[in-house]
Amino acid sequence: MVQVKKEAVRQAIFDSALAQFSEHGYHKTKLPKIAEGAGVGVGSIYSYFTSKMALLYAVYEPWQESRFVWLAGELDRAATPRDKLRCLLLGIWRDIPQDNIGLANSLMEALSAADPVGGKTTPLLKATERRVLDMLQQCLPQEVLARLDVESLPNLIMMAYDGFVINRRLNDISELERLAETMCDMMLGADG
């Protein structure tokens, strides 16, 4: 007999997983606890998600998308190229992880333990880098875009994000604003 998937069940699993990953991190989150929170059996989770990693991505991607929509609004309100770039860097490095550090750290935990043979299960990083590239192109003046290898900057910014997420969990983010200012100086010049 074919099982009919129900959106309410999927949403309950999603909501429970979001709460568990946010509170406990990837490794300490157990599928039986997600199932219990959703009011289903563990087997039901596999009817909707192929793995714990797939479930994490299903939770993480819309959260990150909502944060980038918020960040785009913040960039629209920034006045100068330096203000926009600082807003972008601090938004990615500080504000997005701060919104849900447990969920952000869950992704770092999961990726650090992922099977290298299987590779990444979703193009999340590439999609994120494309979005950051679009935002950089909105922030930076044309003369700066012409001078920089702007195509490689999103990878650098997201690698820094990974480190800042881990450091935020360890309460070591004291240099963030200074690092953002230094990055602005490097891209725009000290007077930019």
Side-chain angles (χ1 to χ4, degrees):
M1 180 177 211
V2 177
Q3 182 176 356
V4 177
K5 293 183 182 178
K6 297 178 182 163
E7 185 55 35
V9 173
R10 184 187 188 287
Q11 188 63 49
I13 294 168
F14 179 96
D15 293 343
S16 180
L18 174 60
Q20 289 292 315
F21 288 132
S22 296
E23 186 175 340
H24 302 292
Y26 184 76
H27 294 303
K28 290 183 180 176
T29 291
K30 304 299 179 202
L31 291 179
K33 288 301 272 184
I34 292 172
E36 179 184 314
V40 300
V42 173
S44 293
I45 293 174
Y46 288 108
S47 295
Y48 295 86
F49 304 96
T50 58
S51 66
K52 183 177 170 183
M53 180 75 89
L55 178 53
L56 173 63
Y57 275 116
V59 169
Y60 188 88
E61 288 182 274
W63 170 77
Q64 180 179 280
E65 174 61 22
S66 73
R67 302 317 304 144
F68 271 100
V69 167
W70 165 82
L71 183 55
E74 295 296 305
L75 288 179
D76 287 344
R77 288 187 278 286
T80 67
R82 178 173 280 274
D83 292 341
K84 288 180 182 297
L85 183 57
R86 183 184 316 107
C87 179
L88 175 64
L89 295 172
L90 290 175
I92 293 171
W93 294 344
R94 180 192 65 202
D95 302 333
I96 289 176
Q98 185 173 295
D99 180 66
N100 189 332
I101 191 58
L103 187 57
N105 252 297
S106 286
L107 185 64
M108 297 305 108
E109 287 179 32
L111 291 174
S112 70
D115 180 2
V117 174
K120 293 181 180 174
T121 59
T122 178
L124 176 63
L125 179 59
K126 288 296 174 201
T128 302
E129 288 177 347
R130 280 191 302 277
R131 181 158 214 159
V132 172
L133 177 61
D134 291 345
M135 292 173 137
L136 279 168
Q137 290 171 332
Q138 294 171 15
C139 291
L140 300 173
Q142 287 301 315
E143 63 273 8
V144 173
L145 291 171
R147 154 175 78 74
L148 293 176
D149 177 11
V150 73
E151 298 281 329
S152 65
L153 289 174
N155 185 263
L156 177 67
I157 290 168
M158 293 314 297
M159 285 177 27
Y161 167 86
D162 296 349
F164 291 132
V165 165
I166 293 165
N167 282 341
R168 173 165 288 289
R169 184 176 156 269
L170 300 173
N171 295 316
D172 182 16
I173 56 164
S174 58
E175 301 293 319
L176 213 48
E177 284 79 8
R178 192 178 68 134
L179 291 169
E181 287 299 328
T182 299
M183 191 74 142
C184 288
D185 288 346
M186 289 170 54
M187 285 195 241
L188 296 170
D191 300 327

